[in-house]
Amino acid sequence: MFIKDENYFKIKEFERNNITAFFTRKSFFERNTLKDLLPKNKIFISAYQKHTDVVKDISKTENRDYFEGVDGFITKRDDVVLVTKHADCLPIFFYDKKEKVIGMVHSGWKGSFQEIGLKTLNLMEKNYNSLRKNIIIGLGIGISCEKYEVGDEFYENFKSKFSYEIIKKSFKSYDGRKHFDNCEFNKLNFISNGILKKNIIVSKECTFEGDFFSFRRDKNKERNYAVIYFNKKSLVI
């Protein structure tokens, strides 16, 4: 469950495992900067995102804190903070409650089409022996289906790649125009690829309508931040 706070929306299920996971609100930046929210003794990991499907493992041997052309991170390190930037694109939070791995991904329609979420799971499996039954995923906050109008070519591209069941539930029609539900698409794609439905937390907030920066609405460079990090040794639930 996403819980509203003065500065951000945090994910309750992650908090129970001593994982801080949150998405900033627009009003927060009227008074503060992101670093005001972050622990002073941790390394701030971020990237110049390019709507890719590239996910970086911040391993013990990694000594950089900024990456170009990367749209997601995973790590077991408790000395780092993973950060991605969003303005309607979907943030995806990951936590393997057994192997103690966290992840953070920026998934706009390009990332979703390229299945950056599944590539994150694959990397967690490859590098840390994660099992999908043990992974909790938080989806949101992004633009809602009602505010995300798309064209016929967009629809046909997704239709040619993904199953009928996923497409049927991910696209809706409003006043004869097609709209895309990025959150629902990722939820269904995760479930069809081994993530337990009970382990997926979904936000009902919308960046276009809520207290968030929205590129479709504002047409500027302001961004919301999605953040995840270990508080201390986490517990299995």
Side-chain angles (χ1 to χ4, degrees):
M1 179 186 300
F2 282 72
I3 303 172
K4 187 176 182 179
D5 183 87
E6 179 183 2
N7 296 313
Y8 47 74
F9 279 77
K10 60 184 178 180
I11 305 178
K12 182 178 181 181
E13 289 81 356
F14 284 65
E15 295 283 327
R16 288 173 177 168
N17 285 271
N18 294 311
I19 306 296
T20 292
F22 64 81
F23 189 79
T24 57
R25 299 173 58 194
K26 181 179 180 180
S27 55
F28 165 73
F29 291 99
E30 296 172 0
R31 305 179 302 275
N32 307 278
T33 66
L34 179 62
K35 289 190 176 181
D36 293 327
L37 287 179
L38 303 181
K40 301 299 186 289
N41 61 339
K42 293 184 184 288
I43 302 167
F44 185 99
I45 305 293
S46 62
Y48 178 49
Q49 300 160 192
K50 294 185 176 181
H51 297 274
T52 69
D53 61 350
V54 178
V55 182
K56 177 68 178 177
D57 179 9
I58 306 301
S59 65
K60 290 182 179 179
T61 59
E62 182 57 65
N63 57 16
R64 289 185 294 165
D65 60 5
Y66 185 79
F67 302 84
E68 184 167 346
V70 171
D71 281 79
F73 302 103
I74 64 169
T75 194
K76 281 180 73 85
R77 288 172 55 174
D78 62 6
D79 65 333
V80 301
V81 177
L82 306 181
V83 181
T84 52
K85 297 177 288 185
H86 306 258
D88 294 329
C89 294
L90 187 71
I92 308 178
F93 302 81
F94 298 81
Y95 175 54
D96 178 343
K97 58 188 179 181
K98 185 175 185 299
E99 301 299 333
K100 304 299 183 289
V101 184
I102 56 174
M104 187 69 249
V105 164
H106 163 264
S107 188
W109 75 262
K110 290 182 180 179
S112 295
F113 185 78
Q114 297 174 96
E115 299 181 276
I116 189 173
L118 297 188
K119 289 172 182 176
T120 304
L121 296 179
N122 291 339
L123 191 61
M124 293 171 71
E125 291 171 336
K126 176 183 176 182
N127 291 9
Y128 298 111
N129 299 312
S130 293
L131 297 177
R132 297 190 182 194
K133 67 179 181 180
N134 297 323
I135 296 174
I136 304 172
I137 291 179
L139 296 175
I141 299 167
I143 194 168
S144 65
C145 184
E146 290 81 356
K147 298 297 181 181
Y148 198 176
E149 182 182 337
V150 297
D152 291 336
E153 183 178 358
F154 182 107
Y155 171 76
E156 292 298 332
N157 285 338
F158 272 82
K159 184 180 176 182
S160 67
K161 183 176 180 179
F162 299 99
S163 71
Y164 170 80
E165 290 76 15
I166 290 178
I167 295 302
K168 181 180 179 181
K169 294 180 180 179
S170 300
F171 288 85
K172 298 179 182 179
S173 179
Y174 295 94
D175 298 323
R177 299 177 182 274
K178 290 184 176 65
H179 288 241
F180 178 55
D181 192 330
N182 196 16
C183 183
E184 184 68 10
F185 169 82
N186 278 279
K187 175 185 174 182
L188 295 171
N189 206 25
F190 279 129
I191 292 172
S192 68
N193 283 278
I195 297 296
L196 301 179
K197 183 178 180 180
K198 68 178 183 178
N199 285 343
I200 301 178
I201 303 105
V202 176
S203 170
K204 299 299 182 183
E205 298 290 326
C206 171
T207 48
F208 190 96
E209 295 184 310
D211 179 28
F212 309 101
F213 297 113
S214 168
F215 181 77
R216 283 211 168 195
R217 182 192 64 214
D218 304 326
K219 300 296 188 296
N220 61 32
K221 295 182 179 181
E222 300 291 345
R223 296 293 183 265
N224 313 291
Y225 288 84
V227 176
I228 189 169
Y229 59 88
F230 289 101
N231 294 322
K232 54 185 176 179
K233 187 176 181 180
S234 55
L235 305 172
V236 176
I237 59 173

